[in-house]
Amino acid sequence: MTDRQIRIKALIKSIISYLDKHRADMSGVEMTLRKLEKIDLSDQQLVDIKPKGTRHERVLNKAISEINAQQLNEIASCLYAAKDDLVWLEDNSQYYQPGANLGPGYKNCNLHTLLIGPNSCGYQSDDFLLGVFMLGPRTLYRDHKHDAPELYLNLSDKSGWRFEFGEWKDYPAGSFIWNAPRERHAARVYEQPFISVFAWLENVNSPCQVLHFDDWEEIEQSLFK
Protein backbone atom coordinates (compact mmCIF):
# COMPACT_ATOMS: atom_id res chain seq x y z
CA MET A 1 0.00 0.00 0.00
CA THR A 2 1.02 3.60 -0.53
CA ASP A 3 1.33 5.98 2.42
CA ARG A 4 -1.88 7.62 1.23
CA GLN A 5 -3.76 4.33 1.27
CA ILE A 6 -2.41 3.55 4.74
CA ARG A 7 -3.78 6.85 6.08
CA ILE A 8 -7.19 6.37 4.46
CA LYS A 9 -7.47 2.82 5.80
CA ALA A 10 -6.50 4.06 9.29
CA LEU A 11 -9.32 6.62 9.12
CA ILE A 12 -11.85 3.97 8.11
CA LYS A 13 -10.66 1.66 10.87
CA SER A 14 -10.95 4.43 13.47
CA ILE A 15 -14.58 5.02 12.46
CA ILE A 16 -15.45 1.32 12.53
CA SER A 17 -13.75 0.98 15.92
CA TYR A 18 -15.91 3.78 17.35
CA LEU A 19 -19.06 2.26 15.89
CA ASP A 20 -18.17 -1.14 17.33
CA LYS A 21 -17.71 0.32 20.81
CA HIS A 22 -21.21 1.79 20.54
CA ARG A 23 -22.87 -1.15 18.81
CA ALA A 24 -25.52 -1.43 21.50
CA ASP A 25 -26.37 2.29 21.60
CA MET A 26 -28.73 2.33 18.65
CA SER A 27 -30.13 -0.20 16.18
CA GLY A 28 -28.81 1.92 13.30
CA VAL A 29 -25.24 1.46 14.52
CA GLU A 30 -25.69 -2.31 14.58
CA MET A 31 -27.24 -2.24 11.10
CA THR A 32 -24.35 -0.16 9.76
CA LEU A 33 -21.79 -2.55 11.20
CA ARG A 34 -23.57 -5.51 9.65
CA LYS A 35 -23.34 -3.83 6.27
CA LEU A 36 -19.66 -3.09 6.78
CA GLU A 37 -18.98 -6.70 7.73
CA LYS A 38 -20.13 -7.77 4.27
CA ILE A 39 -17.64 -5.48 2.47
CA ASP A 40 -14.15 -6.71 1.68
CA LEU A 41 -11.91 -4.20 3.47
CA SER A 42 -8.66 -5.98 2.74
CA ASP A 43 -5.58 -4.05 1.66
CA GLN A 44 -5.88 -5.46 -1.85
CA GLN A 45 -9.28 -3.83 -2.35
CA LEU A 46 -8.16 -0.28 -1.57
CA VAL A 47 -8.41 2.00 -4.58
CA ASP A 48 -5.69 4.47 -5.49
CA ILE A 49 -7.07 7.62 -7.05
CA LYS A 50 -5.85 11.18 -7.16
CA PRO A 51 -6.93 13.35 -4.21
CA LYS A 52 -8.99 16.48 -4.74
CA GLY A 53 -8.89 19.60 -2.59
CA THR A 54 -11.63 22.11 -1.96
CA ARG A 55 -12.30 25.84 -2.02
CA HIS A 56 -13.64 25.34 1.52
CA GLU A 57 -10.28 24.22 2.91
CA ARG A 58 -10.19 26.93 5.58
CA VAL A 59 -13.61 25.92 6.90
CA LEU A 60 -12.70 22.24 6.68
CA ASN A 61 -9.49 22.78 8.64
CA LYS A 62 -11.41 24.68 11.30
CA ALA A 63 -14.07 21.96 11.55
CA ILE A 64 -11.45 19.23 11.99
CA SER A 65 -9.40 21.25 14.48
CA GLU A 66 -12.51 21.74 16.63
CA ILE A 67 -13.18 18.00 17.09
CA ASN A 68 -12.41 18.17 20.80
CA ALA A 69 -14.34 15.33 22.43
CA GLN A 70 -11.86 12.91 23.99
CA GLN A 71 -13.69 9.82 22.75
CA LEU A 72 -13.22 11.08 19.17
CA ASN A 73 -9.45 11.61 19.42
CA GLU A 74 -8.57 8.67 17.19
CA ILE A 75 -11.01 9.68 14.45
CA ALA A 76 -9.89 13.31 14.65
CA SER A 77 -6.21 12.37 14.44
CA CYS A 78 -6.75 10.02 11.49
CA LEU A 79 -8.95 12.55 9.69
CA TYR A 80 -6.37 15.28 10.14
CA ALA A 81 -3.63 12.98 8.81
CA ALA A 82 -5.67 11.86 5.78
CA LYS A 83 -7.37 15.16 4.93
CA ASP A 84 -5.17 15.93 1.93
CA ASP A 85 -5.42 12.33 0.65
CA LEU A 86 -9.18 12.45 0.17
CA VAL A 87 -11.46 13.48 -2.68
CA TRP A 88 -13.56 16.40 -1.42
CA LEU A 89 -16.76 17.13 -3.33
CA GLU A 90 -19.58 19.65 -3.13
CA ASP A 91 -23.19 18.69 -3.66
CA ASN A 92 -24.41 20.94 -6.44
CA SER A 93 -27.95 19.56 -6.16
CA GLN A 94 -27.04 16.23 -7.78
CA TYR A 95 -28.40 14.37 -4.75
CA TYR A 96 -31.74 16.18 -5.02
CA GLN A 97 -34.70 16.37 -7.32
CA PRO A 98 -34.51 19.07 -10.01
CA GLY A 99 -35.41 22.52 -8.69
CA ALA A 100 -35.09 21.57 -5.03
CA ASN A 101 -35.06 24.61 -2.74
CA LEU A 102 -31.94 23.82 -0.70
CA GLY A 103 -31.47 27.31 0.66
CA PRO A 104 -28.49 29.68 0.55
CA GLY A 105 -26.56 28.19 3.48
CA TYR A 106 -26.32 24.68 2.08
CA LYS A 107 -25.46 25.90 -1.40
CA ASN A 108 -22.80 28.24 -0.06
CA CYS A 109 -20.81 25.67 1.93
CA ASN A 110 -21.34 21.92 1.88
CA LEU A 111 -18.66 19.28 1.50
CA HIS A 112 -18.30 15.51 1.59
CA THR A 113 -15.82 12.76 0.86
CA LEU A 114 -16.62 9.07 0.31
CA LEU A 115 -14.43 6.51 2.06
CA ILE A 116 -16.60 3.61 0.91
CA GLY A 117 -19.05 3.72 -1.98
CA PRO A 118 -19.27 4.22 -5.75
CA ASN A 119 -16.22 6.16 -6.97
CA SER A 120 -14.90 6.47 -3.41
CA CYS A 121 -11.30 7.16 -2.43
CA GLY A 122 -11.13 4.08 -0.19
CA TYR A 123 -13.21 1.03 -1.05
CA GLN A 124 -15.76 0.49 -3.79
CA SER A 125 -19.35 -0.45 -2.93
CA ASP A 126 -22.36 -0.17 -5.21
CA ASP A 127 -25.07 0.26 -2.56
CA PHE A 128 -23.43 1.53 0.65
CA LEU A 129 -21.82 4.84 1.54
CA LEU A 130 -19.46 5.75 4.35
CA GLY A 131 -17.91 9.17 4.38
CA VAL A 132 -17.37 12.53 6.04
CA PHE A 133 -19.83 15.40 5.66
CA MET A 134 -19.35 19.08 6.47
CA LEU A 135 -21.53 22.19 6.53
CA GLY A 136 -20.40 25.76 6.97
CA PRO A 137 -21.35 27.76 10.08
CA ARG A 138 -24.80 29.31 10.48
CA THR A 139 -26.40 26.90 8.04
CA LEU A 140 -29.90 25.45 7.98
CA TYR A 141 -29.90 22.05 6.30
CA ARG A 142 -33.54 22.24 5.30
CA ASP A 143 -36.10 19.51 5.98
CA HIS A 144 -35.77 16.62 3.57
CA LYS A 145 -36.16 12.86 3.24
CA HIS A 146 -34.71 10.02 1.18
CA ASP A 147 -35.13 6.29 0.64
CA ALA A 148 -31.69 5.55 2.07
CA PRO A 149 -31.51 4.68 5.77
CA GLU A 150 -28.92 7.04 7.22
CA LEU A 151 -26.61 7.16 10.22
CA TYR A 152 -24.69 10.23 11.38
CA LEU A 153 -21.89 10.24 13.93
CA ASN A 154 -21.62 13.84 15.10
CA LEU A 155 -18.01 15.01 15.44
CA SER A 156 -18.76 18.67 16.20
CA ASP A 157 -19.49 19.89 19.71
CA LYS A 158 -23.10 20.85 19.02
CA SER A 159 -25.64 20.63 16.21
CA GLY A 160 -29.42 21.00 16.15
CA TRP A 161 -31.77 18.38 14.68
CA ARG A 162 -35.49 18.15 13.94
CA PHE A 163 -37.29 14.92 13.05
CA GLU A 164 -40.67 14.84 11.31
CA PHE A 165 -42.64 17.74 12.86
CA GLY A 166 -41.01 17.58 16.30
CA GLU A 167 -39.11 20.18 18.26
CA TRP A 168 -35.50 21.10 17.63
CA LYS A 169 -32.96 19.35 19.88
CA ASP A 170 -29.21 19.85 20.19
CA TYR A 171 -26.86 16.85 20.04
CA PRO A 172 -23.26 16.71 21.32
CA ALA A 173 -20.08 15.36 19.80
CA GLY A 174 -19.96 11.57 19.77
CA SER A 175 -23.74 11.20 19.48
CA PHE A 176 -25.58 9.34 16.75
CA ILE A 177 -28.45 10.39 14.53
CA TRP A 178 -30.52 7.69 12.83
CA ASN A 179 -32.87 8.55 9.98
CA ALA A 180 -35.08 5.68 8.89
CA PRO A 181 -36.02 5.49 5.18
CA ARG A 182 -38.22 8.42 4.13
CA GLU A 183 -38.16 9.95 7.62
CA ARG A 184 -38.29 13.72 7.51
CA HIS A 185 -35.29 15.46 9.14
CA ALA A 186 -33.43 18.75 9.24
CA ALA A 187 -30.26 20.08 10.86
CA ARG A 188 -28.98 23.48 11.87
CA VAL A 189 -25.39 24.60 12.37
CA TYR A 190 -24.46 27.31 14.83
CA GLU A 191 -21.35 29.53 15.04
CA GLN A 192 -18.89 26.73 14.29
CA PRO A 193 -18.86 24.53 11.18
CA PHE A 194 -20.47 21.11 11.44
CA ILE A 195 -18.59 17.92 10.60
CA SER A 196 -19.73 14.32 10.89
CA VAL A 197 -19.29 10.77 9.72
CA PHE A 198 -22.26 9.56 7.70
CA ALA A 199 -23.46 6.25 6.25
CA TRP A 200 -26.17 5.39 3.76
CA LEU A 201 -27.03 1.72 4.09
CA GLU A 202 -28.84 1.12 0.79
CA ASN A 203 -30.73 2.91 -2.01
CA VAL A 204 -27.75 5.22 -2.40
CA ASN A 205 -28.82 6.38 -5.87
CA SER A 206 -32.30 7.50 -4.86
CA PRO A 207 -32.76 11.31 -4.85
CA CYS A 208 -33.48 13.36 -1.74
CA GLN A 209 -36.72 15.32 -1.54
CA VAL A 210 -36.86 18.74 0.14
CA LEU A 211 -40.00 19.17 2.27
CA HIS A 212 -41.22 22.70 2.90
CA PHE A 213 -41.47 24.04 6.44
CA ASP A 214 -42.78 27.53 7.21
CA ASP A 215 -40.02 28.47 9.64
CA TRP A 216 -37.02 28.22 7.31
CA GLU A 217 -36.58 31.97 6.80
CA GLU A 218 -37.01 32.66 10.53
CA ILE A 219 -34.37 30.07 11.46
CA GLU A 220 -31.92 31.26 8.84
CA GLN A 221 -32.25 34.84 10.08
CA SER A 222 -31.81 33.77 13.72
CA LEU A 223 -28.60 31.87 12.91
CA PHE A 224 -26.99 35.16 11.86
CA LYS A 225 -28.04 37.17 14.92
Side-chain angles (χ1 to χ4, degrees):
M1 293 192 297
T2 65
D3 289 345
R4 175 175 175 270
Q5 289 174 315
I6 291 171
R7 289 188 291 266
I8 291 174
K9 181 167 186 178
L11 173 57
I12 294 169
K13 287 181 65 178
S14 71
I15 293 168
I16 294 175
S17 176
Y18 188 91
L19 295 177
D20 194 51
K21 291 174 184 176
H22 296 269
R23 184 185 288 263
D25 288 9
M26 179 183 290
S27 61
V29 177
E30 173 70 25
M31 293 166 65
T32 303
L33 286 166
R34 288 180 184 174
K35 288 282 187 176
L36 283 163
E37 288 163 1
K38 295 179 181 178
I39 300 173
D40 184 356
L41 300 181
S42 64
D43 295 350
Q44 294 77 16
Q45 296 302 314
L46 272 167
V47 301
D48 189 14
I49 60 177
K50 184 178 179 181
K52 181 181 179 182
T54 170
R55 66 188 178 107
H56 297 307
E57 184 173 6
R58 182 185 60 82
V59 181
L60 177 61
N61 288 339
K62 181 175 175 60
I64 295 173
S65 70
E66 291 174 345
I67 303 174
N68 296 317
Q70 185 174 357
Q71 69 268 34
L72 298 172
N73 282 350
E74 184 181 5
I75 293 176
S77 176
C78 290
L79 179 55
Y80 178 81
K83 176 182 68 71
D84 295 331
D85 302 310
L86 305 175
V87 176
W88 293 101
L89 302 170
E90 295 181 48
D91 172 22
N92 293 311
S93 301
Q94 65 262 38
Y95 286 99
Y96 287 82
Q97 296 174 329
N101 187 7
L102 295 167
Y106 183 84
K107 291 180 180 179
N108 181 57
C109 187
N110 74 79
L111 200 61
H112 70 278
T113 185
L114 290 181
L115 304 173
I116 302 175
N119 303 312
S120 78
C121 53
Y123 294 94
Q124 294 298 300
S125 177
D126 292 334
D127 202 26
F128 177 85
L129 304 180
L130 180 74
V132 177
F133 175 64
M134 189 200 80
L135 289 171
R138 306 181 189 277
T139 294
L140 172 63
Y141 191 11
R142 293 179 170 184
D143 301 71
H144 62 285
K145 66 180 181 180
H146 39 70
D147 291 339
E150 177 181 58
L151 180 73
Y152 279 102
L153 163 56
N154 293 317
L155 303 180
S156 300
D157 284 343
K158 184 175 76 170
S159 56
W161 294 82
R162 172 167 68 190
F163 308 101
E164 295 297 342
F165 295 94
E167 297 295 321
W168 285 97
K169 180 181 177 181
D170 289 342
Y171 287 79
S175 62
F176 293 101
I177 302 292
W178 173 250
N179 296 310
R182 302 195 68 75
E183 181 180 60
R184 180 181 185 131
H185 54 284
R188 60 185 179 188
V189 184
Y190 302 111
E191 293 84 1
Q192 308 303 323
F194 167 74
I195 191 164
S196 68
V197 172
F198 77 96
W200 276 20
L201 277 59
E202 60 188 11
N203 298 322
V204 302
N205 295 312
S206 61
C208 301
Q209 180 183 356
V210 176
L211 303 167
H212 180 75
F213 210 105
D214 288 339
D215 65 359
W216 285 347
E217 184 176 345
E218 177 185 348
I219 291 173
E220 287 166 344
Q221 289 177 353
S222 70
L223 289 173
F224 279 90
K225 287 183 179 179

